[in-house]
Amino acid sequence: MLIALARILSRPCVKTFIIFTFPKATLYFPMKIYAAGVPMLAVVQHLGKYVLALLREMGRMLLFLISALYMIVRFPGKAILILKQINFIGAKSFFVIFLTAAFTGMVLGLQGYYTLTKFGSEGMLGSVVALSLIRELGPVLTALMVTGRAGSAITAEIGIMRITEQIDALETMALEPFKYLVSPKIIGALIAVPLLCAIFDVVGIGGGYLVGVKLMGVNPGAYFHEMQNNVEWKDVYSGMVKSLSFGLIISWVCCYKGYNTTRGAEGVSRSTTAAVVMSSVLILVWDYFLTSILL
């Protein structure tokens, strides 16, 4: 059987033609047909290499996360470093979060009003805006904004330290890099992102109130009364759980990409781009799974 298989794979390719006949002309397109699917073997090989590389990368990322969480428990880092990261990730992201939340709430108020008007339910506008923000838009948009503003900076900072051998210098001096570079950032993200999400929700509800009540004339009492009746603790809890997990994803992916940066300045730019893209995709994918679990 093996000899027969070797003979089949060693056969040369056969040329044939694909013929298309039209009313006034006939076209001949040459095409190569390989015996025993030799090109398919090459495709499978490339696919296998890609899958193995992906699995190795996932394993390295998982080991990085386990090491980071272990170091957080064992060496959480100095309080001043954690406060510095809370300030960088949280306080310095306030302005972009405020603007995004305000206009998101205003758009929700405008779209929700015109949709609810068709059913004569304008008084439900408050609950629609609040539930949309608290359950989904608040955690997801907050995480995406933090990824773009703070996550990219975290990756670039650690990446530059890697290519300039500052991390190697810490290891040479028997100092744990995770204690000074990774643990404070993860703790800071776990604290700052839920707080930013809460701010996003409040400001977004205010933006919906501004458009729905002040601009469109919805009854303010109905706006807040329906919100109070329909928003439950489960909704708030699910939003906070999502924001906590998103903070972990942002800090984990961005720190990992920066920590494993190579090839100089070009490597830093590629690591930063990859960190932002991967964090954003993981946030959206993980949001679906969390939603299916928490509902």
Side-chain angles (χ1 to χ4, degrees):
M1 183 180 292
L2 293 176
I3 296 175
L5 180 62
R7 288 178 179 176
I8 293 175
L9 293 177
S10 61
R11 291 178 185 174
C13 64
V14 180
K15 290 186 178 179
T16 185
F17 295 90
I18 300 177
I19 304 175
F20 294 93
T21 303
F22 296 92
K24 294 184 179 180
T26 302
L27 301 179
Y28 298 88
F29 292 94
M31 183 182 70
K32 293 182 179 180
I33 300 178
Y34 290 82
V38 174
M40 183 60 67
L41 181 61
V43 171
V44 172
Q45 288 177 344
H46 285 294
L47 181 61
K49 290 179 181 179
Y50 175 78
V51 172
L52 290 176
L54 180 61
L55 291 175
R56 283 194 295 268
E57 183 72 8
M58 292 172 62
R60 284 193 291 264
M61 291 186 67
L62 181 60
L63 291 176
F64 184 89
L65 177 61
I66 293 173
S67 301
L69 295 177
Y70 172 75
M71 293 304 298
I72 288 175
V73 175
R74 186 176 178 184
F75 301 111
K78 296 182 180 179
I80 186 64
L81 296 177
I82 298 175
L83 291 175
K84 181 180 178 181
Q85 293 304 319
I86 294 174
N87 174 66
F88 176 73
I89 299 173
K92 292 187 177 180
S93 300
F94 174 80
F95 184 70
V96 65
I97 293 297
F98 183 89
L99 286 180
T100 305
F103 285 99
T104 300
M106 292 167 69
V107 170
L108 280 176
L110 196 61
Q111 294 283 8
Y113 176 81
Y114 282 109
T115 301
L116 294 172
T117 301
K118 298 178 181 180
F119 305 98
S121 304
E122 299 88 348
M124 298 294 294
L125 180 63
S127 60
V128 170
V129 172
L131 290 175
S132 300
L133 288 170
I134 294 173
R135 285 181 178 177
E136 290 297 328
L137 292 180
V140 172
L141 291 181
T142 299
L144 294 178
M145 292 298 106
V146 172
T147 300
R149 200 212 68 83
S152 57
I154 289 173
T155 305
E157 177 188 352
I158 299 179
I160 291 174
M161 295 183 70
R162 169 60 74 183
I163 65 173
T164 55
E165 300 181 353
Q166 297 181 47
I167 297 178
D168 298 333
L170 289 174
E171 294 174 347
T172 303
M173 293 185 293
L175 298 175
E176 180 56 52
F178 277 71
K179 178 179 179 181
Y180 297 96
L181 301 179
V182 179
S183 297
K185 290 178 173 57
I186 293 180
I187 296 175
L190 290 174
I191 296 173
V193 174
L195 294 176
L196 289 174
C197 178
I199 294 172
F200 192 103
D201 294 340
V202 173
V203 175
I205 291 172
Y209 175 85
L210 181 65
V211 171
V213 175
K214 300 298 182 181
L215 187 61
M216 297 299 174
V218 176
N219 190 302
Y223 184 89
F224 287 107
H225 180 72
E226 295 298 333
M227 185 189 307
Q228 183 180 1
N229 288 338
N230 291 284
V231 177
E232 300 176 354
W233 165 245
K234 181 181 178 181
D235 303 319
V236 180
Y237 170 78
S238 64
M240 289 297 103
V241 170
K242 287 182 179 182
S243 61
L244 272 173
S245 60
F246 294 160
L248 179 61
I249 289 174
I250 294 169
S251 55
W252 167 33
V253 174
C254 293
C255 288
Y256 172 81
K257 289 296 183 180
Y259 199 85
N260 293 277
T261 298
T262 56
R263 293 180 297 179
E266 181 183 358
V268 174
S269 64
R270 290 190 177 185
S271 296
T272 304
T273 303
V276 172
V277 173
M278 184 179 292
S279 298
S280 302
V281 172
L282 285 178
I283 285 167
L284 296 175
V285 173
W286 184 239
D287 176 61
Y288 169 77
F289 287 106
L290 271 184
T291 302
S292 63
I293 294 171
L294 295 174
L295 280 180

